[in-house]
Amino acid sequence: MDELDPVIHAAVRLRITATLATVPGDGSMSFPRLQELLDLTAGNLATHLRKLEEAGYVTVEKAHRGRVPVTYLALTTTGRRAFEDYTATLRSILDPAG
C-alpha cells in the first residue's frame, strides 16, 4: 500500500491543497481569499504555505493591484499531481476492495 504524503497529510495543508485544487487550470487565488475560506490566521496560513512551497507544491506570486500588494497562490503541476495521488491513496485505504 502506498503511504500518504506527509507534506499534504497535515490537516491545514490538506485543506489548503484541496481548496487550491478547485481553482481551474493555471488559475490562482489571493492569499486573503484563501485565508477567508479556511478561516485561518495569516501567520498560520503563511507557515503551512511555506511548507507546501518548499515541497514544490505551491507557487507564491507577489504582485500589485493598483498600489496595493497582493499575493497569489496556485498549485503547481507537481502539487496537483501530489494531491491527486494523496486522494487516490486515501480512497484505497478507505475502500481496499475498490
Side-chain angles (χ1 to χ4, degrees), residues 15-28:
R15 292 173 58 213
I16 292 168
T17 55
T19 303
L20 291 176
T22 66
V23 177
D26 292 333
S28 61

Side-chain angles (χ1 to χ4, degrees), residues 1 9-10 18 20 22 37 48-49 59 72 74 76 79 82-83 85 94 96 98:
M1 174 184 344
H9 192 61
L20 291 176
T22 66
L37 288 172
H48 286 287
L49 283 169
T59 58
Y72 292 102
T76 63
F83 179 69
D85 290 346
L94 296 173

